[in-house]
Amino acid sequence: IILTAILVLLSWCIVNGLYLRAIYVGIAAIISVVELLWYSDRFNRDIRGFLQSLLQRDFTTHYEQTGRGKTYDELYETFNNISDVFKKISAEKEIQHKYLEMLVEHVRVSILSIDSDEKVHLANQALRDLLRRNSVSNLSSLEAVDATLAKTIREIHAGETRLIKVSIDNELLQLSIHASEFKLDDRY
């Protein structure tokens, strides 16, 4: 509206022969256009920055909510509220993950989770104690402990339970192995 009024005034000055005033009004029109472009560019950068922070899961970005006009203040307040909600969801997810991780580590039953490439994704403390190993990275590493154990894990099917005898550090153990299969997001 202001830019339109300036252009109407500029046209009026030129039509009425007020050329010096037309120059002043023209300069005001140029300043208004530059301000409008700068403001629009800054707003677009803020929108792009907000969306990129969501994509990168960076919820620490905070937008100033004062001095830009009611509509923009409300928009930036909404950006901040969305960031706060995502930050809360992310924190809750992390707490749940840590809780489950601690629960699995303290269960007295050995748990081993592997994928189709025989990569170990989870080997809890009870399993590491049983195998007398600090870590288990893949199924092949179990062959060094006992070849029967690794072979049984490769051959067992979902829902099946097998009893096997293994020798770990010259100690004969009888183990009950149960297999379950599940997919999470087309993985594992």
Side-chain angles (χ1 to χ4, degrees), residues 64-183:
E64 193 62 38
Q65 301 171 199
T66 57
R68 295 184 185 167
K70 183 181 176 188
T71 304
Y72 289 112
D73 291 348
E74 290 173 356
L75 179 66
Y76 289 128
E77 180 182 5
T78 302
F79 283 176
N80 291 334
N81 291 339
I82 290 171
S83 288
D84 291 343
V85 167
F86 275 106
K87 189 185 308 180
K88 183 179 177 183
I89 290 170
S90 180
E92 288 173 357
K93 183 178 175 184
E94 182 68 23
I95 289 169
Q96 285 177 344
H97 177 74
K98 290 289 185 189
Y99 173 75
L100 289 174
E101 197 174 72
M102 293 297 292
L103 184 66
V104 167
E105 279 299 313
H106 288 88
V107 166
R108 298 183 66 126
V109 174
S110 297
I111 298 174
L112 176 67
S113 172
I114 59 173
D115 63 17
S116 59
D117 297 326
E118 298 187 352
K119 180 181 176 191
V120 172
H121 291 276
L122 176 91
N124 71 346
Q125 189 63 47
L127 179 73
R128 293 191 306 268
D129 290 346
L130 175 72
L131 301 176
R132 295 177 178 89
R133 298 277 187 251
N134 290 331
S135 67
V136 181
S137 59
N138 57 40
L139 197 54
S140 298
S141 65
L142 293 180
E143 290 174 348
V145 175
D146 187 274
T148 306
L149 177 61
K151 181 181 177 204
T152 303
I153 292 172
R154 282 187 182 101
E155 293 174 351
I156 196 168
H157 298 289
E160 187 179 349
T161 301
R162 291 190 188 176
L163 293 174
I164 64 167
K165 291 182 182 179
V166 295
S167 177
I168 300 175
D169 289 342
N170 296 322
E171 183 181 347
L172 188 61
L173 300 171
Q174 188 166 350
L175 302 178
S176 173
I177 298 179
H178 179 78
S180 296
E181 183 178 8
F182 55 91
K183 284 189 175 188

Side-chain angles (χ1 to χ4, degrees), residues 7-27:
L7 292 177
V8 168
L9 183 60
L10 176 65
S11 300
W12 183 81
C13 289
I14 292 173
V15 168
N16 291 323
L18 305 170
Y19 299 113
L20 184 58
R21 288 186 181 157
I23 291 174
Y24 294 142
V25 173
I27 291 172

Side-chain angles (χ1 to χ4, degrees), residues 1-4 6-7 27-45 72:
I1 295 175
I2 294 173
L3 187 58
T4 304
I6 290 173
L7 292 177
I27 291 172
I30 291 171
I31 291 172
S32 295
V33 168
V34 169
E35 281 284 323
L36 179 64
L37 293 175
W38 179 83
Y39 195 75
S40 175
D41 183 57
R42 181 171 178 194
F43 177 73
N44 288 337
R45 279 185 280 136
Y72 289 112

